[in-house]
Amino acid sequence: MTLADTFARTRAEGRAAVVGCMPAGFPTVEGSIAAMTAMVEAGVDIVEVELPYSDPVMDGPVIQRASDIALAGGVRTADVLRIVEAVAAAGAPVAMMTYWAPVEKYGPDRFARDFAAAGGVGLITPDLIPDEAGEWLAAADRYDLDRVFLVAPSSTDARLAMTVGHCRGFVYATSVMGVTGARERTSSAAPALVARVRAADPAIPVAVGLGVRDGDQAAAVGGYADGVIVGSALIRCLLDAPDEPAGLAALRALSADLAAGVRRSPSGRAAAKVQA
Amino acid sequence: MGAPAVPDATGHFGRFGGRFMPEALVAALDQLDGAWREARVDPAFTAEFDRLLREYAGTPSMLYPATRLSAEVGARILLKREDLNHTGAHKVRNVLGQALLTRRMGKRRIIAETGAGQHGVASATAAALFDLECVVYQGEVDTRRQALNVARMRMLGATVVPVTTGSRTLKDAMNEALRDWVSTVDDTHYLIGTAAGPHPFPELVRDLVRGIGVEARAQCLEATGALPDAVAACVGGGSNAIGIMHPFLDDAEVRLYGFEAGGDGVGTGRHAASISGGGVGVLHGTRTYVLQDDDGQTVESHSISAGLDYPGVGPEHAWLHDSGRATYRAVDDAAAMAAFRQLCRTEGIIPAIESAHALAGVVAVVPELTAALGREPTIVVNLSGRGDKDMHTAAAYFDLLDTEGGPR
């Protein structure tokens, strides 16, 4: 299943997609496979596997802590690719969130080849802007992978149009100026940013990330975006749990809550269609 | 006609440099780039920068003929006395320039990363002078190693935030500063302390500190009637080195040497020599030589000098290394500390341990330079900082104090 297929399906159902993020190898290689499989079984539509990196400057304390645990456990890029393969078997498309350094070291072409072979569908690149992405764009085309770049409230119209033009799969709209992490309120800047992306390209799906922590917030974001990206809140289920079964149970519960949330409010796009 | 301009308009030095940064920060980087391009040709800006350098920082720094040291090492050694600048290092040039730019951009707050605390102290100094809010991120390990500098920063009115993520040292302080900046970019300038990071920082910082080399070149011509045979500097991130090297790039007969921190020795894996002992990768927004493992994960650096203890290097140095215009070698802790003592005892100058790496490197290359030239070489060495801050380290290394910290 591709990202395009998934968004077509969720649009047909009149709702936003839930994109769930989890660092590969956290808490262990097997534990992360179990966690992401549980997320899919409980209703997460798209899995975003984060490749743990030593210097994750876009991530807040929760994802950084989980990444540190994964790295301290000895997870390697080769393990991450194995995890992608295992999680893809659960049926949801698996995208990867990765800082550029590990991909550059692996070799962008070789990485794209091995990631595609593992069943991955595309990369989300928080510190790679299209301006520097020549090698990756070529590799993505060669192996038919989607490429998801980030746009921010601070992006100029010209940069936003350029960035959206290079996206395939979906556009990642960072809803607040800040790092990842669950917040009390999601941003008021997000609807405006989504509208700007739609103005640049009415067709490509837009997913909103940074700050969503529960079904109610997912319902709110799902009211205007095509996808709701949730990371830190899911990771906390595992970090805060006394043991692995309890963590997986919490993870399933939150995934189900998010899945129910996006079904409570018709997506902005679907709602607009109904009104028309 | 001639070589292409470096960096290019998007900050690339050949295959190095660029911008590997979140999109959220691109607007701020563009704003900074634009502000600098305007300011550098604005006579009012350059006049104020020159005035501050002269009246406040105490530049031009002297070029001092170190005759007793020269006699010992068999070369004519001219020391560029950046250690005599206000705040005790070349770094004051960079912070004054960036503080002026901060004001020009209408921002009220600066953030900075620091390892040993020198750049933090310099940033806090400029913030006090310009009445800016200042937050300095410093690895928790370093705040304990460098408690006196923490006190200095706080005395100057800065907030010091101990960083408890990752290895709790300089690279993690930089991560934390970047995280702050993503959230506060509207009113905050990130005052990066070296000629590294995303475009335009490598070019901007170089241009702000290249007065070191401009002065040294003129001073050497005046004192000796000729250009030096070689110019040498220590290289961590590499701002003092690019500052003194850059004005000599077109002088083909002047050899350029950058001396990296070899720690326990490059062969041991415990070092901070990104060019001599690392590989090409991406770190903190730029493509350059970095210390990383086979998966591209950053490896911790090791050096007796906190100021050189960083697992990357400015992209222009990477480019100068690849092009062969400059030569980079590693100097281990033991050689640097021997040179540290040698300068103390021959000239009555206590250098920063960082700068002692440059001295040690020069001692090592004198024989080959002498052989190549067929005469005693003249070498300009950037004495980038003073060693007061390093006395705790030196006292431990040379066993100068008893265990209670009192005199033996």
Short mmCIF file of all heavy atoms in Angstrom, two decimals, chain A residues 52-59 64 68 71 76-77 100-102 104-105 126-129 132 150-152 154-155 159 177-179, chain B residues 12 18-24 26-27 30 165-166 171 175 178-179 182-183 185 281-284 287 292-298:
data_model
loop_
_atom_site.label_atom_id
_atom_site.label_comp_id
_atom_site.label_asym_id
_atom_site.label_seq_id
_atom_site.Cartn_x
_atom_site.Cartn_y
_atom_site.Cartn_z
N PRO A 52 16.98 6.37 14.64
CA PRO A 52 17.59 7.09 15.77
C PRO A 52 18.92 7.73 15.37
O PRO A 52 19.73 7.11 14.68
CB PRO A 52 17.81 6.00 16.82
CG PRO A 52 17.18 4.77 16.31
CD PRO A 52 16.93 4.92 14.86
N TYR A 53 19.10 8.98 15.81
CA TYR A 53 20.30 9.72 15.44
C TYR A 53 20.87 10.41 16.68
O TYR A 53 20.11 10.87 17.54
CB TYR A 53 19.95 10.75 14.35
CG TYR A 53 21.09 11.66 13.94
CD1 TYR A 53 22.33 11.13 13.57
CD2 TYR A 53 20.93 13.04 13.92
CE1 TYR A 53 23.38 11.97 13.21
CE2 TYR A 53 21.97 13.88 13.54
CZ TYR A 53 23.20 13.33 13.19
OH TYR A 53 24.23 14.16 12.83
N SER A 54 22.16 10.52 16.72
CA SER A 54 22.85 11.06 17.91
C SER A 54 22.56 12.54 18.15
O SER A 54 22.65 13.00 19.28
CB SER A 54 24.36 10.86 17.75
OG SER A 54 24.82 11.38 16.51
N ASP A 55 22.22 13.29 17.10
CA ASP A 55 22.06 14.73 17.25
C ASP A 55 20.76 15.23 16.62
O ASP A 55 20.79 15.99 15.65
CB ASP A 55 23.28 15.44 16.65
CG ASP A 55 24.54 15.08 17.39
OD1 ASP A 55 24.80 15.69 18.43
OD2 ASP A 55 25.25 14.15 16.96
N PRO A 56 19.63 14.82 17.17
CA PRO A 56 18.33 15.12 16.54
C PRO A 56 17.82 16.53 16.89
O PRO A 56 17.03 16.69 17.80
CB PRO A 56 17.41 14.04 17.13
CG PRO A 56 17.98 13.76 18.48
CD PRO A 56 19.46 14.01 18.40
N VAL A 57 18.26 17.52 16.14
CA VAL A 57 17.99 18.91 16.55
C VAL A 57 16.54 19.34 16.39
O VAL A 57 16.14 20.35 16.94
CB VAL A 57 18.90 19.91 15.80
CG1 VAL A 57 20.35 19.65 16.13
CG2 VAL A 57 18.67 19.86 14.31
N MET A 58 15.73 18.58 15.63
CA MET A 58 14.32 18.97 15.49
C MET A 58 13.45 18.28 16.54
O MET A 58 12.25 18.51 16.59
CB MET A 58 13.80 18.60 14.10
CG MET A 58 13.82 19.72 13.08
SD MET A 58 12.88 21.19 13.56
CE MET A 58 11.21 20.66 13.14
N ASP A 59 14.05 17.41 17.33
CA ASP A 59 13.24 16.63 18.25
C ASP A 59 13.35 17.13 19.68
O ASP A 59 14.41 17.52 20.14
CB ASP A 59 13.65 15.16 18.19
CG ASP A 59 13.11 14.48 16.94
OD1 ASP A 59 11.93 14.69 16.64
OD2 ASP A 59 13.88 13.78 16.26
N GLN A 64 14.07 12.38 21.71
CA GLN A 64 15.52 12.25 21.91
C GLN A 64 15.83 11.15 22.92
O GLN A 64 16.75 10.36 22.72
CB GLN A 64 16.12 13.57 22.38
CG GLN A 64 17.58 13.37 22.82
CD GLN A 64 18.48 14.53 22.55
OE1 GLN A 64 18.11 15.67 22.78
NE2 GLN A 64 19.67 14.27 22.06
N ASP A 68 17.99 7.90 22.15
CA ASP A 68 19.19 7.58 22.92
C ASP A 68 19.13 6.15 23.45
O ASP A 68 20.13 5.43 23.46
CB ASP A 68 19.36 8.55 24.10
CG ASP A 68 19.88 9.93 23.66
OD1 ASP A 68 20.30 10.05 22.50
OD2 ASP A 68 19.85 10.87 24.49
N LEU A 71 19.86 3.84 20.54
CA LEU A 71 21.28 3.85 20.17
C LEU A 71 22.12 3.16 21.24
O LEU A 71 23.05 2.41 20.93
CB LEU A 71 21.78 5.28 19.95
CG LEU A 71 21.24 5.97 18.69
CD1 LEU A 71 21.65 7.45 18.67
CD2 LEU A 71 21.75 5.27 17.43
N ARG A 76 21.59 -0.47 14.77
CA ARG A 76 22.38 -0.01 13.63
C ARG A 76 21.43 0.27 12.45
O ARG A 76 20.28 -0.19 12.45
CB ARG A 76 23.40 -1.08 13.21
CG ARG A 76 24.31 -1.56 14.34
CD ARG A 76 25.33 -0.51 14.71
NE ARG A 76 26.05 -0.02 13.53
CZ ARG A 76 27.24 -0.50 13.12
NH1 ARG A 76 27.82 -1.47 13.78
NH2 ARG A 76 27.83 0.01 12.05
N THR A 77 21.93 0.97 11.46
CA THR A 77 21.09 1.27 10.30
C THR A 77 20.55 -0.01 9.68
O THR A 77 19.39 -0.09 9.27
CB THR A 77 21.88 2.10 9.27
OG1 THR A 77 22.32 3.30 9.90
CG2 THR A 77 21.02 2.44 8.07
N TRP A 100 19.69 13.62 7.94
CA TRP A 100 20.39 13.29 6.72
C TRP A 100 21.71 12.55 6.95
O TRP A 100 22.13 11.75 6.11
CB TRP A 100 20.61 14.54 5.88
CG TRP A 100 21.11 14.19 4.51
CD1 TRP A 100 22.30 14.54 3.94
CD2 TRP A 100 20.44 13.35 3.55
NE1 TRP A 100 22.40 13.98 2.69
CE2 TRP A 100 21.28 13.25 2.44
CE3 TRP A 100 19.21 12.67 3.54
CZ2 TRP A 100 20.93 12.50 1.31
CZ3 TRP A 100 18.87 11.92 2.42
CH2 TRP A 100 19.73 11.85 1.32
N ALA A 101 22.39 12.81 8.06
CA ALA A 101 23.72 12.25 8.26
C ALA A 101 23.78 10.72 8.10
O ALA A 101 24.67 10.22 7.40
CB ALA A 101 24.27 12.67 9.63
N PRO A 102 22.85 9.97 8.70
CA PRO A 102 22.94 8.51 8.54
C PRO A 102 22.73 8.05 7.09
O PRO A 102 23.33 7.07 6.66
CB PRO A 102 21.82 7.98 9.45
CG PRO A 102 21.57 9.07 10.44
CD PRO A 102 21.82 10.34 9.68
N GLU A 104 23.41 9.89 4.35
CA GLU A 104 24.60 10.29 3.59
C GLU A 104 25.73 9.28 3.81
O GLU A 104 26.45 8.91 2.88
CB GLU A 104 25.05 11.69 4.04
CG GLU A 104 26.39 12.09 3.44
CD GLU A 104 26.40 13.49 2.87
OE1 GLU A 104 25.35 13.94 2.37
OE2 GLU A 104 27.47 14.11 2.92
N LYS A 105 25.87 8.82 5.07
CA LYS A 105 26.94 7.87 5.38
C LYS A 105 26.68 6.54 4.69
O LYS A 105 27.60 5.91 4.17
CB LYS A 105 27.03 7.69 6.90
CG LYS A 105 28.19 6.83 7.34
CD LYS A 105 29.52 7.51 7.07
CE LYS A 105 30.68 6.64 7.53
NZ LYS A 105 31.97 7.29 7.22
N PRO A 126 13.74 15.78 8.10
CA PRO A 126 13.60 17.04 8.84
C PRO A 126 14.73 18.03 8.66
O PRO A 126 14.52 19.23 8.84
CB PRO A 126 13.51 16.57 10.30
CG PRO A 126 14.16 15.23 10.32
CD PRO A 126 13.86 14.62 8.98
N ASP A 127 15.93 17.57 8.32
CA ASP A 127 17.03 18.54 8.16
C ASP A 127 17.58 18.54 6.74
O ASP A 127 18.68 19.02 6.50
CB ASP A 127 18.14 18.31 9.19
CG ASP A 127 18.87 16.99 9.00
OD1 ASP A 127 18.36 16.12 8.26
OD2 ASP A 127 19.95 16.84 9.59
N LEU A 128 16.80 17.99 5.81
CA LEU A 128 17.20 18.06 4.40
C LEU A 128 16.14 18.88 3.67
O LEU A 128 14.98 18.46 3.56
CB LEU A 128 17.29 16.66 3.79
CG LEU A 128 17.85 16.65 2.36
CD1 LEU A 128 19.35 16.93 2.35
CD2 LEU A 128 17.56 15.33 1.66
N ILE A 129 16.54 20.04 3.20
CA ILE A 129 15.63 20.87 2.42
C ILE A 129 15.88 20.56 0.94
O ILE A 129 16.96 20.09 0.58
CB ILE A 129 15.84 22.38 2.74
CG1 ILE A 129 17.32 22.78 2.62
CG2 ILE A 129 15.32 22.70 4.14
CD1 ILE A 129 17.60 24.25 2.89
N GLU A 132 19.19 21.10 -0.93
CA GLU A 132 20.38 20.25 -0.74
C GLU A 132 20.10 18.80 -1.13
O GLU A 132 20.91 17.92 -0.86
CB GLU A 132 20.83 20.28 0.73
CG GLU A 132 21.23 21.65 1.25
CD GLU A 132 22.61 22.09 0.75
OE1 GLU A 132 23.32 21.28 0.12
OE2 GLU A 132 22.95 23.27 0.99
N LEU A 150 9.49 19.17 4.89
CA LEU A 150 8.74 19.93 5.89
C LEU A 150 8.51 21.36 5.42
O LEU A 150 9.38 21.94 4.77
CB LEU A 150 9.49 19.95 7.22
CG LEU A 150 9.35 18.72 8.13
CD1 LEU A 150 9.83 17.45 7.44
CD2 LEU A 150 10.11 18.93 9.43
N VAL A 151 7.34 21.89 5.76
CA VAL A 151 7.12 23.32 5.62
C VAL A 151 6.79 23.87 7.01
O VAL A 151 6.34 23.13 7.88
CB VAL A 151 5.97 23.65 4.63
CG1 VAL A 151 6.35 23.24 3.21
CG2 VAL A 151 4.67 23.00 5.06
N ALA A 152 7.06 25.13 7.21
CA ALA A 152 6.91 25.73 8.53
C ALA A 152 6.15 27.05 8.41
O ALA A 152 6.10 27.65 7.33
CB ALA A 152 8.29 25.98 9.15
N SER A 154 7.12 29.76 9.20
CA SER A 154 8.07 30.80 8.78
C SER A 154 8.45 30.69 7.31
O SER A 154 9.15 31.57 6.79
CB SER A 154 9.33 30.73 9.64
OG SER A 154 9.99 29.49 9.45
N SER A 155 8.04 29.64 6.62
CA SER A 155 8.41 29.50 5.20
C SER A 155 7.81 30.63 4.39
O SER A 155 6.62 30.94 4.53
CB SER A 155 7.88 28.17 4.64
OG SER A 155 8.37 27.07 5.37
N ARG A 159 9.35 29.80 -0.95
CA ARG A 159 9.96 28.56 -0.47
C ARG A 159 8.90 27.47 -0.29
O ARG A 159 9.15 26.29 -0.57
CB ARG A 159 10.67 28.78 0.87
CG ARG A 159 12.02 29.46 0.73
CD ARG A 159 12.89 29.17 1.94
NE ARG A 159 13.13 27.74 2.10
CZ ARG A 159 14.04 27.07 1.42
NH1 ARG A 159 14.83 27.68 0.55
NH2 ARG A 159 14.19 25.77 1.60
N MET A 177 6.32 26.74 15.60
CA MET A 177 7.75 26.97 15.52
C MET A 177 8.35 26.33 16.76
O MET A 177 8.25 26.88 17.86
CB MET A 177 8.06 28.46 15.46
CG MET A 177 7.57 29.13 14.18
SD MET A 177 8.38 28.46 12.70
CE MET A 177 10.04 29.12 12.93
N GLY A 178 8.93 25.15 16.61
CA GLY A 178 9.49 24.48 17.77
C GLY A 178 9.82 23.04 17.45
O GLY A 178 9.64 22.59 16.32
N VAL A 179 10.28 22.33 18.48
CA VAL A 179 10.66 20.95 18.29
C VAL A 179 9.48 20.04 18.58
O VAL A 179 8.42 20.49 19.02
CB VAL A 179 11.86 20.58 19.20
CG1 VAL A 179 13.08 21.39 18.82
CG2 VAL A 179 11.50 20.80 20.67
N HIS B 12 28.26 26.90 -0.52
CA HIS B 12 29.03 25.68 -0.76
C HIS B 12 30.49 26.00 -1.07
O HIS B 12 30.79 26.82 -1.93
CB HIS B 12 28.43 24.87 -1.90
CG HIS B 12 27.04 24.41 -1.61
ND1 HIS B 12 25.93 25.14 -1.94
CD2 HIS B 12 26.60 23.30 -0.95
CE1 HIS B 12 24.85 24.49 -1.53
NE2 HIS B 12 25.22 23.39 -0.92
N GLY B 18 26.97 24.33 2.78
CA GLY B 18 25.54 24.21 2.50
C GLY B 18 24.69 24.44 3.75
O GLY B 18 25.12 25.05 4.72
N ARG B 19 23.47 23.92 3.65
CA ARG B 19 22.48 24.13 4.70
C ARG B 19 21.70 22.86 4.96
O ARG B 19 20.74 22.58 4.26
CB ARG B 19 21.50 25.18 4.22
CG ARG B 19 21.61 26.49 4.90
CD ARG B 19 20.51 27.39 4.39
NE ARG B 19 20.95 28.76 4.51
CZ ARG B 19 20.31 29.79 3.99
NH1 ARG B 19 19.21 29.59 3.30
NH2 ARG B 19 20.78 31.00 4.17
N PHE B 20 22.08 22.09 5.95
CA PHE B 20 21.33 20.90 6.32
C PHE B 20 20.58 21.24 7.61
O PHE B 20 21.03 20.94 8.71
CB PHE B 20 22.26 19.70 6.48
CG PHE B 20 22.90 19.33 5.15
CD1 PHE B 20 24.04 19.97 4.72
CD2 PHE B 20 22.31 18.39 4.33
CE1 PHE B 20 24.60 19.67 3.48
CE2 PHE B 20 22.86 18.08 3.09
CZ PHE B 20 24.01 18.73 2.67
N MET B 21 19.48 21.93 7.43
CA MET B 21 18.78 22.55 8.54
C MET B 21 17.28 22.40 8.35
O MET B 21 16.80 22.30 7.22
CB MET B 21 19.09 24.06 8.54
CG MET B 21 20.35 24.44 9.28
SD MET B 21 20.10 24.45 11.08
CE MET B 21 21.23 23.17 11.57
N PRO B 22 16.53 22.42 9.46
CA PRO B 22 15.07 22.41 9.33
C PRO B 22 14.58 23.62 8.54
O PRO B 22 15.11 24.73 8.69
CB PRO B 22 14.59 22.49 10.78
CG PRO B 22 15.73 22.00 11.61
CD PRO B 22 16.96 22.38 10.86
N GLU B 23 13.55 23.39 7.72
CA GLU B 23 12.94 24.46 6.95
C GLU B 23 12.54 25.64 7.85
O GLU B 23 12.63 26.81 7.45
CB GLU B 23 11.72 23.92 6.19
CG GLU B 23 10.81 24.96 5.57
CD GLU B 23 11.47 25.74 4.44
OE1 GLU B 23 12.47 25.25 3.88
OE2 GLU B 23 10.97 26.84 4.13
N ALA B 24 12.13 25.34 9.09
CA ALA B 24 11.68 26.40 10.00
C ALA B 24 12.75 27.47 10.20
O ALA B 24 12.44 28.61 10.52
CB ALA B 24 11.27 25.79 11.34
N VAL B 26 15.12 28.29 7.85
CA VAL B 26 15.66 28.83 6.61
C VAL B 26 15.37 30.32 6.47
O VAL B 26 16.24 31.10 6.05
CB VAL B 26 15.12 28.04 5.39
CG1 VAL B 26 15.47 28.74 4.09
CG2 VAL B 26 15.70 26.63 5.41
N ALA B 27 14.18 30.74 6.87
CA ALA B 27 13.86 32.17 6.75
C ALA B 27 14.82 33.01 7.58
O ALA B 27 15.27 34.07 7.14
CB ALA B 27 12.41 32.42 7.19
N ASP B 30 18.19 33.08 5.88
CA ASP B 30 18.13 34.01 4.74
C ASP B 30 18.15 35.46 5.23
O ASP B 30 18.80 36.32 4.62
CB ASP B 30 16.86 33.76 3.91
CG ASP B 30 17.02 32.58 2.97
OD1 ASP B 30 18.17 32.17 2.71
OD2 ASP B 30 15.99 32.06 2.49
N THR B 165 21.40 16.53 27.82
CA THR B 165 21.11 15.51 26.81
C THR B 165 22.42 15.00 26.20
O THR B 165 23.45 15.66 26.26
CB THR B 165 20.23 16.09 25.68
OG1 THR B 165 20.83 17.29 25.21
CG2 THR B 165 18.84 16.39 26.17
N GLY B 166 22.33 13.81 25.59
CA GLY B 166 23.45 13.23 24.86
C GLY B 166 24.70 13.11 25.72
O GLY B 166 24.64 12.69 26.88
N LYS B 171 28.81 19.58 21.59
CA LYS B 171 27.89 19.26 20.48
C LYS B 171 26.44 19.25 20.95
O LYS B 171 25.54 19.64 20.22
CB LYS B 171 28.28 17.95 19.81
CG LYS B 171 27.78 16.70 20.48
CD LYS B 171 28.00 15.47 19.62
CE LYS B 171 27.53 14.20 20.32
NZ LYS B 171 26.08 14.09 20.47
N ASN B 175 23.16 21.42 19.85
CA ASN B 175 21.82 20.88 19.57
C ASN B 175 20.75 21.66 20.32
O ASN B 175 19.71 22.01 19.77
CB ASN B 175 21.73 19.41 20.01
CG ASN B 175 22.61 18.48 19.18
OD1 ASN B 175 23.03 18.83 18.09
ND2 ASN B 175 22.89 17.31 19.72
N LEU B 178 20.12 25.08 18.95
CA LEU B 178 19.32 25.01 17.72
C LEU B 178 17.85 24.78 18.05
O LEU B 178 16.96 25.35 17.41
CB LEU B 178 19.85 23.89 16.81
CG LEU B 178 21.13 24.25 16.05
CD1 LEU B 178 21.80 23.00 15.49
CD2 LEU B 178 20.84 25.24 14.91
N ARG B 179 17.59 23.95 19.07
CA ARG B 179 16.19 23.71 19.47
C ARG B 179 15.54 24.98 20.00
O ARG B 179 14.39 25.27 19.71
CB ARG B 179 16.13 22.61 20.55
CG ARG B 179 16.51 21.26 20.01
CD ARG B 179 16.32 20.16 21.05
NE ARG B 179 16.81 18.92 20.48
CZ ARG B 179 17.88 18.25 20.91
NH1 ARG B 179 18.55 18.69 21.96
NH2 ARG B 179 18.28 17.16 20.31
N VAL B 182 14.76 27.26 16.94
CA VAL B 182 13.58 26.88 16.15
C VAL B 182 12.32 27.48 16.79
O VAL B 182 11.37 27.84 16.11
CB VAL B 182 13.46 25.34 16.05
CG1 VAL B 182 12.13 24.95 15.42
CG2 VAL B 182 14.58 24.77 15.21
N SER B 183 12.32 27.57 18.11
CA SER B 183 11.13 28.06 18.82
C SER B 183 11.08 29.58 18.96
O SER B 183 10.03 30.13 19.22
CB SER B 183 11.06 27.45 20.23
OG SER B 183 11.34 26.07 20.18
N VAL B 185 12.88 32.02 16.89
CA VAL B 185 13.66 32.66 15.83
C VAL B 185 13.19 34.09 15.50
O VAL B 185 13.97 34.90 15.02
CB VAL B 185 13.67 31.72 14.59
CG1 VAL B 185 12.28 31.61 14.00
CG2 VAL B 185 14.68 32.15 13.57
N GLY B 281 30.98 14.00 6.24
CA GLY B 281 29.61 13.74 6.67
C GLY B 281 28.89 15.05 6.90
O GLY B 281 29.38 16.12 6.54
N VAL B 282 27.72 14.95 7.52
CA VAL B 282 26.91 16.14 7.80
C VAL B 282 26.74 16.25 9.31
O VAL B 282 26.44 15.27 9.98
CB VAL B 282 25.54 16.01 7.12
CG1 VAL B 282 24.57 17.06 7.65
CG2 VAL B 282 25.68 16.14 5.60
N LEU B 283 27.01 17.42 9.84
CA LEU B 283 26.78 17.67 11.27
C LEU B 283 26.45 19.14 11.46
O LEU B 283 27.10 20.02 10.90
CB LEU B 283 28.03 17.31 12.09
CG LEU B 283 27.91 17.54 13.62
CD1 LEU B 283 26.83 16.68 14.24
CD2 LEU B 283 29.26 17.28 14.31
N HIS B 284 25.42 19.39 12.28
CA HIS B 284 25.05 20.76 12.64
C HIS B 284 24.92 21.67 11.43
O HIS B 284 25.43 22.80 11.40
CB HIS B 284 26.04 21.34 13.67
CG HIS B 284 25.92 20.69 15.01
ND1 HIS B 284 26.99 20.47 15.84
CD2 HIS B 284 24.83 20.18 15.65
CE1 HIS B 284 26.57 19.87 16.95
NE2 HIS B 284 25.28 19.68 16.86
N ARG B 287 28.04 20.20 5.53
CA ARG B 287 28.78 19.00 5.11
C ARG B 287 30.27 19.32 5.24
O ARG B 287 30.76 20.30 4.70
CB ARG B 287 28.45 18.61 3.68
CG ARG B 287 29.22 17.36 3.23
CD ARG B 287 28.93 16.96 1.80
NE ARG B 287 27.62 16.35 1.65
CZ ARG B 287 26.68 16.82 0.84
NH1 ARG B 287 26.90 17.90 0.11
NH2 ARG B 287 25.50 16.21 0.76
N GLN B 292 32.52 10.37 13.00
CA GLN B 292 31.28 9.60 13.05
C GLN B 292 31.60 8.12 12.86
O GLN B 292 32.67 7.76 12.37
CB GLN B 292 30.31 10.08 11.97
CG GLN B 292 30.86 9.99 10.56
CD GLN B 292 29.90 10.51 9.49
OE1 GLN B 292 28.87 11.09 9.79
NE2 GLN B 292 30.25 10.30 8.24
N ASP B 293 30.62 7.29 13.26
CA ASP B 293 30.83 5.85 13.08
C ASP B 293 30.33 5.42 11.70
O ASP B 293 29.95 6.26 10.88
CB ASP B 293 30.18 5.07 14.24
CG ASP B 293 28.66 5.13 14.22
OD1 ASP B 293 28.07 5.58 13.20
OD2 ASP B 293 28.04 4.73 15.23
N ASP B 294 30.33 4.12 11.46
CA ASP B 294 29.96 3.60 10.14
C ASP B 294 28.51 3.89 9.78
O ASP B 294 28.12 3.78 8.62
CB ASP B 294 30.18 2.08 10.10
CG ASP B 294 31.66 1.73 10.16
OD1 ASP B 294 32.48 2.63 9.92
OD2 ASP B 294 31.97 0.56 10.46
N ASP B 295 27.69 4.25 10.76
CA ASP B 295 26.28 4.54 10.51
C ASP B 295 25.99 6.05 10.45
O ASP B 295 24.83 6.45 10.37
CB ASP B 295 25.40 3.93 11.62
CG ASP B 295 25.22 2.43 11.43
OD1 ASP B 295 25.45 1.95 10.31
OD2 ASP B 295 24.85 1.75 12.41
N GLY B 296 27.05 6.86 10.52
CA GLY B 296 26.82 8.30 10.48
C GLY B 296 26.42 8.90 11.82
O GLY B 296 26.01 10.05 11.89
N GLN B 297 26.53 8.10 12.89
CA GLN B 297 26.26 8.64 14.23
C GLN B 297 27.51 9.36 14.71
O GLN B 297 28.61 8.85 14.56
CB GLN B 297 25.91 7.51 15.21
CG GLN B 297 24.78 6.59 14.73
CD GLN B 297 23.41 7.23 14.82
OE1 GLN B 297 23.23 8.29 15.41
NE2 GLN B 297 22.42 6.59 14.21
N THR B 298 27.29 10.53 15.31
CA THR B 298 28.43 11.32 15.76
C THR B 298 29.19 10.59 16.88
O THR B 298 28.59 10.03 17.79
CB THR B 298 27.95 12.68 16.29
OG1 THR B 298 27.08 13.25 15.30
CG2 THR B 298 29.12 13.62 16.55
#
